[in-house]
Amino acid sequence: MDTEPKSKAQSHIEEIMKQVEPGSERYQALDSAKRFKSSWVELGERLAKVRNRGLYRDWGYGDFDDYCSREIRLRKATTDKLLLAYHFMEKSEPQLLARKQDLHPLPDFRSIDLLRQAREEKNFSEQDYGELRKAIIEEERSHPTVLKRFKEAAAANDPAPEDPALHYRACLQAARRLEIALRSVGDLPAEHAAQLPVLAEWLEERLEQVQKAAPVED
């Protein structure tokens, strides 16, 4: 017998389920939401269908985020992360989706989203990506542990900060090129033409300040 107390969200969802036709798309989405923690992949699949088909409109909601917030009690940030994690598994880990019934417990959707970020946004090396994937899927590490490893690898992969002098120099060169190019525009308003030399002068001053402030290498 399940003695775990129900959350307010679960009670809310169950009340709506009593008013919805069993087996319908809406009922199944609610049922998946009620079992969110143990079945987030299933919920991700159903929410993707609800959003893509616009089913929420048939259920009286003006937009998808309103439906998620009011009916299945998911914040927009959670919904976005859940769907991104699901679509990543659909695209990059289809074999895991095929085995979702055998994965107990399922990898945390937040950890899967970190795996997505490692591949799509952070450009992890194959080795770093493989180690993160192993920690999530094979070793079943907790989300805090995975997050710590992700941050460490991301920090190691981040490029060195750009020399600000290079940035100001590039901007100054661009401003001067633009100033020269605009000389051929006969109907350029005088007030606009006067702004470029002022901008170029400011960039030149900033470049000198940055160069003076830069530490001198031994």
Side-chain angles (χ1 to χ4, degrees), residues 24-204:
S24 65
E25 292 283 1
R26 186 176 183 180
Y27 187 94
Q28 292 179 53
L30 286 162
D31 185 52
S32 298
K34 189 176 71 169
R35 296 179 289 105
F36 171 43
K37 290 185 179 180
S38 62
S39 186
W40 71 262
V41 172
E42 179 182 323
L43 179 58
E45 182 177 12
R46 295 199 183 284
L47 287 183
K49 184 185 295 185
V50 169
R51 183 181 62 182
N52 295 342
R53 295 184 182 179
L55 298 176
Y56 54 86
R57 298 190 188 93
D58 299 334
W59 306 334
Y61 295 96
D63 59 56
F64 178 69
D65 292 335
D66 188 40
Y67 158 74
C68 290
S69 174
R70 291 173 53 194
E71 179 145 322
I72 60 176
R73 289 297 200 264
L74 283 184
R75 294 182 296 110
K76 184 179 187 306
T78 302
T79 303
D80 290 345
K81 190 172 292 187
L82 174 65
L83 286 171
L84 284 170
Y86 172 74
H87 287 309
F88 175 76
M89 286 190 68
E90 189 177 39
K91 178 178 67 175
S92 301
E93 300 284 351
Q95 74 283 3
L96 284 182
L97 280 183
R99 294 175 46 226
K100 64 178 183 288
Q101 301 299 334
D102 302 325
L103 295 176
H104 297 290
L106 283 168
D108 191 305
F109 77 97
R110 296 169 299 173
S111 296
I112 293 294
D113 187 59
L114 291 178
L115 193 63
R116 177 195 66 80
Q117 292 180 49
R119 175 66 82 197
E120 298 179 355
E121 299 174 10
K122 300 296 184 179
N123 295 318
F124 274 32
S125 68
E126 287 300 322
Q127 179 178 348
D128 286 342
Y129 178 84
E131 290 176 357
L132 187 67
R133 184 184 184 280
K134 181 178 179 182
I136 295 170
I137 296 170
E138 298 179 22
E139 299 175 352
E140 299 179 357
R141 300 293 184 183
S142 66
H143 178 66
T145 299
V146 171
L147 179 59
K148 182 174 182 292
R149 294 190 183 184
F150 173 85
K151 288 182 176 179
E152 291 172 347
N157 285 324
D158 278 346
E162 181 181 328
D163 181 354
L166 294 177
H167 180 68
Y168 281 112
R169 184 177 292 110
C171 291
L172 177 59
Q173 292 171 350
R176 285 173 173 166
R177 287 196 299 270
L178 179 58
E179 184 180 359
I180 294 171
L182 289 177
R183 289 174 186 170
S184 61
V185 179
D187 57 350
L188 181 68
E191 63 271 19
H192 296 337
Q195 291 174 3
L196 278 171
V198 176
L199 176 60
E201 183 178 355
W202 181 85
L203 287 169
E204 191 168 12

